[in-house]
Amino acid sequence: MAGKLVAVGTALVLVWATGGIGSAPAFAQSAKPDPASSLWAASANAETGRAEADDPAADGGSDGAPEGAAGTVDPKEHLDAESPHEEFAPDPSGSSSAESDAGEADGEDAEPTDEKPLKEGILAVLALVQGDGLSSAASIERSGSTVYANGVPIVVKPDADGKAYIFDGAGTVKLDETPLASGSKVYGGGNGVDIDGNTSISVEAVSNISIFGGGYNGAVSGNARISVANASTGTVYGGGFSDGSRAADIGGSVSIDLAGTGTKSKVYGGGSAEASKGDASANVAGAVRISCENFNHQGGSSVYGGGYARTSSAYSASAQVGSVQMEGSGPTYVLRGGGWAFASGSGAAHADVLGAIEIVLTDPDVREVYSGGYADGAAATADAASVDTTVVGGEMMMLYGGGTADGGSANVAGAANVTIDGCSNLYGYTIGGGSASNAGSADVGSVAISIHDSVGPVEKQLGSWVAQAVYVGGSASGAGSHADVTGSASLAIEGGSMAGNLYGGGDASGGASATVKSLSVRLSNIAAYMFNDGNQDVAGLLSLFAAGETVEDGSSSLVQDAVDVQLSGLNLENLWGAVSAVDDDPFAPTAQVGASFQEGAGLTALLACIDRIELSHELVVPAFQPKGNGVPTMIRASNFAVGDALVTCPAPDAHADWFALDDREIGFEQREQSAQWLFSRASGSIVVDPEADAGEVPEVALADPDGALSSLLTDEDQAALDGGSSVTFALKVAPHDLSSDEQSLLAEIARLASYTFVQHLDISLAKQVDGVETPLSTLSTPLRLTIATPGEAADAQTPTKYAVVRVHENPDGTLETAVLEDKDDDPATITIETDAFSTYSLAYAVEGSGGTTDPGGNGGGSGDDGSNGGEGQGGSLDGGGTGGVDGQTGSRGQNSADDPLGDGANASATGGKDSAGSLLATSDPTAVFALAAAGVILIAACTVGAAAVRRSRRS
């Protein structure tokens, strides 16, 4: 009995069925988690068996703009078999505003005009204010079943007769003897007038009234406060209502406190703007705070942190808020951190949260959490600056870290963070990003999902065993839709017990995009979820598809750059680079995927399409698939001894090239029923590292890398390699700016040797042991380097000799120069041997560029001394004694007064009497160049020794 994976629409869940270890996921359309829990079952629609839709108009017009033409819209079905992630979205086909509820179905009252109501429809009350910074006396108005408090703090509660009345802010003085009927509306602000100050509404133990913290087509300059306790209400708006006649903004902040029992049909932290008569504005300038002791929302109810904006015309609607803080507990059907914007005309609708959204849910039973806003229509926006959602305890069916865009924009500019702590039942989907359809945009800047000590169970539904699915990215469907994570993302799960599938990317189909730029995954100390399948106890495990899932239909849903996975204290069932939803097989992503198996981490099924793994203990891989033919999974090993098994695979036909070590050859043994890859003796590595852009330094190579490495490794280095350490030698080449001391030395050498210097380099050697670098300034055995001839030297006219002059700083700070002879005959390269690493200057000399042609004394016969030349007649460094008459070897020419060397050299073997020539023109250039080099060293030594030059080599 082994675990298999099945798909639910575009999501994968865990299904337990008969099959061998390592079998690939099998998809079953019928297998999906049932979104209904026991709490939801009680609130399901009696006719359809489904809970009500997330539609502000679904309550049938009981709580919108006061007293207008009624209108309702039909809710969509949610989470049907074809679309497990389908958003609860309203049907925009209703003839009027979903939120305005512009009239009552029973036709109780007509909509008030902007003119003052008739006298008999007005109740003017002088009320003593209980604080809040209002004036000492203010009036409230009443028109039918609508009350305008005009900034007067009021309490709505039952009197002794059980009917609801309006009391003063202390709840002691009844302000009106007429009870409020069911379906009434209460505004904290005014009717078409602005209020300078704050508003306060408290509702206790009454049923079915709608509440607006602001005014009706009237602004409030201060704050709005709403408190509801033990009451069942219609829609609660923290702000005001505007139809475009006048603005209904809140200049300050909004606070909404919901406590006790009773259902609240819908709650909006912001206002309601319906642009039916002009550009409508019901913004909240400051923060919105919603606190709910017990949501107790069922039957299609929902809570929005932001406002509601709607337009079906050329007018624009705005119900933005400054920021949102939402906290609560208990059951609710749908919770959104942002606002809702709907636009179907040529106008725009904006329900943005301009700042951060913070949601904290304690012991909730939430069917759906959409942490951002909801935008419906191409010109609708419900964006947010950032989102932070925390769930502590309780149960969760579905959670999105971002917003929802159905043709509009519900982006989160910054981070979308999701923290789940101690949740007893994660039985659906956790999605780090947003949701987009109909060419909508629900991108987020970054994602961080953190799950601690929670339970992801395995349950039987529709005949299959199913479990949770986690998508780090977003969900998008349809061409032009995108719910990308534009920056980095992380997934961390620690503790608890759970089964299910983890996807590093998003969920995209139909040409949409739900990509993640880069990802870090940390899974630690997670126990299997144990359940009984009717025959035996079975361990449900997690499977990780590191770069995500692809449907290969032109959609993009994978991690783009790299995935870094760290595992400790758990067994994964499968670890794949990616998975194809088309054929259920492993998929090789373009992203680089690496996994570290730390203490207590293992695998029970298939390792597939992984670029590299890090091991500190033997890994048993029941089944393996490489990322490509002949492309091994690279291993970085630590704490292994030579001969230890790194990987064991129970496969009779394994290939040696499935795995390779990154710093040494790997051992391989094929047994009858298994294969092992072994830790072997390492040789280290040596690399040439140009520390400059291409073209800034010539190409430098080691003539014999293996020999160089062998000469560099010490016994201590080899012991470190055998113990699993990494030992690397790096030859670094960089451009060098000469110090003044170096310039003086090289100028003298150029004058005496007629060199032209074309480039100056800083060549250094360093040893790295496990990343710790130690510079090496001198060696006991020289290294042979080949340097590409610089362009200027290669282009020079008939160059006769190349050389490298090294200027090395001794431990005492003095400078030592050496001319390093070119040891090859290839004009395209200069090959030198060196045992010190310092400044290297590349030089060349051209024929005819030697010293003066004044001869020294004539060469005598074989073995004789030449005669003295006059002062100034001796040869320079490059001018030797003249050749003998018959080409005999000239002996030592006498010094002239200006010749510090004293020794001539052989003239041309075919030279005639008194012919004088450059030393570099000799037919024996090796001997001559050696002599010239010796002369340079002597001069430099004299110069440096006399001056006792001391300096920093990099000065």
Side-chain angles (χ1 to χ4, degrees):
M1 189 69 186
K4 285 190 177 181
L5 303 167
V6 296
V8 184
T10 57
L12 294 179
V13 291
L14 186 68
V15 174
W16 293 89
T18 302
I21 286 180
S23 54
F27 289 68
Q29 180 65 28
S30 62
K32 66 175 181 178
D34 185 353
S37 67
S38 58
L39 276 171
W40 297 121
S43 63
N45 183 285
E47 181 177 349
T48 65
R50 299 179 183 271
E52 299 283 331
D54 176 17
D55 178 2
D59 55 358
S62 63
D63 52 46
E67 330 276 355
T72 62
V73 289
D74 295 329
K76 291 183 179 179
E77 290 187 348
H78 185 53
L79 289 173
D80 54 49
E82 295 299 320
S83 179
H85 293 314
E86 182 177 339
E87 163 66 43
F88 250 106
D91 183 348
S93 62
S95 59
S96 66
S97 165
E99 282 307 314
S100 69
D101 297 316
E104 307 299 330
D106 56 9
E108 285 182 348
D109 299 294
E111 178 181 2
T113 67
D114 289 340
E115 299 176 357
K116 294 296 183 181
L118 297 176
K119 183 175 180 179
E120 56 268 27
I122 301 176
L123 174 65
V125 180
L126 294 180
L128 295 178
V129 178
Q130 306 298 317
D132 284 335
L134 297 176
S135 59
S136 60
S139 63
I140 66 172
E141 298 180 28
R142 182 164 179 177
S143 177
S145 59
T146 302
V147 175
Y148 308 95
N150 288 317
V152 175
I154 61 172
V155 175
V156 180
K157 66 176 184 177
D159 203 356
D161 60 3
K163 297 178 181 180
Y165 294 89
I166 301 174
F167 291 79
D168 67 353
T172 57
V173 178
K174 187 184 294 184
L175 302 182
D176 179 20
E177 293 297 332
T178 304
L180 283 178
S182 176
S184 295
K185 299 177 180 65
V186 177
Y187 289 83
N191 176 18
V193 296
D194 297 340
I195 299 300
D196 184 14
N198 303 325
T199 70
S200 176
I201 301 173
S202 297
V203 178
E204 302 173 7
V206 299
S207 298
N208 196 25
I209 67 170
S210 296
I211 305 167
F212 292 81
Y216 175 71
N217 288 323
V220 173
S221 66
N223 303 322
R225 186 186 73 86
I226 298 173
S227 175
V228 180
N230 300 313
S232 295
T233 69
T235 301
V236 176
Y237 293 91
F241 173 84
S242 171
D243 60 14
S245 301
R246 297 182 80 254
D249 299 331
I250 300 290
S253 299
V254 167
S255 64
I256 302 175
D257 292 284
L258 310 175
T261 60
T263 62
K264 294 83 186 172
S265 176
K266 295 172 186 65
V267 177
Y268 286 84
S272 175
E274 179 184 354
S276 60
K277 298 180 181 179
D279 291 340
S281 177
N283 299 319
V284 175
V288 169
R289 184 190 63 83
I290 301 176
S291 177
C292 186
E293 178 183 295
N294 187 338
F295 282 116
N296 198 25
H297 293 179
Q298 301 180 32
S301 60
S302 56
V303 180
Y304 291 78
Y308 174 77
R310 179 187 178 95
T311 180
S312 301
S313 66
Y315 298 123
S316 294
S318 178
Q320 297 179 331
V321 302
S323 62
V324 171
Q325 290 182 311
M326 186 184 302
E327 60 182 12
S329 62
T332 191
Y333 194 78
V334 174
L335 187 148
R336 291 187 183 277
W340 185 6
F342 173 82
S344 62
S346 59
H350 305 289
D352 307 313
V353 178
L354 304 180
I357 297 173
E358 298 179 10
I359 303 171
V360 178
L361 305 177
T362 304
D363 293 324
D365 184 354
V366 181
R367 180 180 172 106
E368 300 163 43
V369 173
Y370 302 91
S371 302
Y374 177 51
D376 186 353
T381 66
D383 298 330
S386 64
V387 177
D388 200 321
T389 303
T390 300
V391 180
V392 180
E395 301 183 24
M396 184 72 62
M397 191 204 80
M398 183 180 294
L399 189 152
Y400 280 81
T404 305
D406 185 1
S409 171
N411 298 320
V412 176
N417 299 326
V418 175
T419 301
I420 301 173
D421 192 359
C423 185
S424 63
N425 187 12
L426 292 173
Y427 61 98
Y429 307 100
T430 302
I431 299 170
S435 174
S437 59
N438 293 323
S441 174
D443 297 337
V444 300
S446 64
V447 164
I449 301 175
S450 181
I451 304 174
H452 305 277
D453 299 326
S454 296
V455 177
V458 178
E459 298 175 343
K460 194 169 187 178
Q461 295 184 12
L462 303 177
S464 299
W465 294 101
V466 300
Q468 67 167 334
V470 176
Y471 288 84
V472 176
S475 174
S477 61
S481 302
H482 49 96
D484 299 321
V485 180
T486 59
S488 62
S490 65
L491 170 64
I493 305 178
E494 181 179 10
S497 63
M498 57 180 58
N501 292 335
L502 312 176
Y503 301 90
D507 172 23
S509 61
S513 177
T515 62
V516 173
K517 183 169 177 58
S518 62
L519 174 64
S520 170
V521 180
R522 303 290 183 266
L523 307 177
S524 60
N525 302 318
I526 304 169
Y529 181 84
M530 302 302 301
F531 68 100
N532 190 285
D533 66 357
N535 298 312
Q536 60 183 338
D537 289 336
V538 180
L541 300 174
L542 291 171
S543 287
L544 173 61
F545 307 101
E549 173 193 42
T550 178
V551 295
E552 301 179 75
D553 64 350
S555 304
S556 302
S557 57
L558 300 178
V559 178
Q560 302 297 292
D561 292 346
V563 184
D564 176 54
V565 179
Q566 290 188 12
L567 308 170
S568 63
L570 84 159
N571 280 324
L572 284 179
E573 183 177 13
N574 296 288
L575 174 57
W576 297 3
V579 60
S580 169
V582 176
D583 52 18
D584 313 345
D585 287 338
F587 183 85
T590 57
Q592 291 286 305
V593 179
S596 174
F597 287 83
Q598 300 174 1
E599 184 177 356
L603 194 68
T604 67
L606 178 61
L607 181 70
C609 302
I610 302 297
D611 293 281
R612 65 188 185 279
I613 57 176
E614 295 184 9
L615 301 177
S616 59
H617 60 275
E618 180 184 359
L619 179 65
V620 177
V621 178
F624 178 78
Q625 179 175 321
K627 194 167 185 178
N629 292 331
V631 179
T633 293
M634 301 301 298
I635 299 175
R636 173 169 292 182
S638 59
N639 301 322
F640 287 88
V642 173
D644 286 349
L646 296 165
V647 177
T648 298
C649 183
D653 56 352
H655 295 268
D657 63 359
W658 281 358
F659 298 95
L661 280 163
D662 62 353
D663 63 348
R664 69 193 71 201
E665 295 294 324
I666 195 169
F668 176 71
E669 292 183 2
Q670 177 69 65
R671 299 184 176 89
E672 184 176 352
Q673 293 298 325
S674 66
Q676 282 191 326
W677 288 261
L678 307 175
F679 190 76
S680 60
R681 178 176 289 272
S683 58
S685 62
I686 185 168
V687 297
V688 177
D689 179 16
E691 295 190 326
D693 295 334
E696 291 189 32
V697 295
E699 181 179 352
V700 178
L702 290 157
D704 180 14
D706 292 339
L709 183 61
S710 177
S711 69
L712 291 171
L713 285 172
T714 66
D715 292 342
E716 292 79 6
D717 295 335
Q718 189 62 59
L721 288 166
D722 291 342
S725 293
S726 170
V727 180
T728 300
F729 294 90
L731 188 70
K732 302 179 181 181
V733 183
H736 179 67
D737 294 327
L738 296 177
S739 68
S740 59
D741 293 333
E742 290 172 329
Q743 291 176 2
S744 298
L745 289 172
L746 293 178
E748 182 65 14
I749 292 173
R751 185 183 71 81
L752 295 172
S754 296
Y755 282 146
T756 298
F757 290 102
V758 294
Q759 195 162 19
H760 307 285
L761 303 175
D762 184 354
I763 301 180
S764 60
L765 182 67
K767 177 169 66 176
Q768 295 178 346
V769 180
D770 293 331
V772 179
E773 184 171 291
T774 302
L776 302 175
S777 59
T778 59
L779 301 176
S780 59
T781 302
L783 295 183
R784 178 170 281 217
L785 306 180
T786 299
I787 305 171
T789 305
E792 179 182 340
D795 296 339
Q797 184 178 6
T798 61
T800 59
K801 196 65 181 179
Y802 300 109
V804 175
V805 178
R806 184 185 70 203
V807 181
H808 181 68
E809 182 179 8
N810 293 314
D812 64 358
T814 58
L815 299 179
E816 177 183 305
T817 61
V819 176
L820 306 180
E821 179 183 354
D822 183 5
K823 295 184 176 298
D824 68 27
D825 295 327
D826 186 352
T829 61
I830 305 172
T831 298
I832 61 172
E833 288 185 351
T834 184
D835 58 1
F837 297 94
S838 309
T839 299
Y840 288 74
S841 296
L842 309 186
Y844 70 94
V846 179
E847 182 179 6
S849 64
T852 68
T853 59
D854 292 334
N858 293 336
S862 177
D864 294 332
D865 290 339
S867 62
N868 293 336
E871 183 176 354
Q873 298 298 306
S876 75
L877 175 64
D878 293 330
T882 59
V885 174
D886 296 323
Q888 296 172 324
T889 302
S891 184
R892 187 176 66 178
Q894 296 297 333
N895 298 343
S896 78
D898 293 337
D899 185 0
L901 273 177
D903 283 337
N906 292 345
S908 171
T910 59
K913 181 179 179 180
D914 295 332
S915 63
S918 169
L919 285 174
L920 294 180
T922 179
S923 63
D924 186 6
T926 302
V928 174
F929 192 77
L931 179 58
V936 171
I937 294 171
L938 177 60
I939 295 170
C942 292
T943 302
V944 175
V949 178
R950 298 175 183 272
R951 54 97 179 168
S952 169
R953 185 165 65 88
R954 297 184 182 274
S955 63

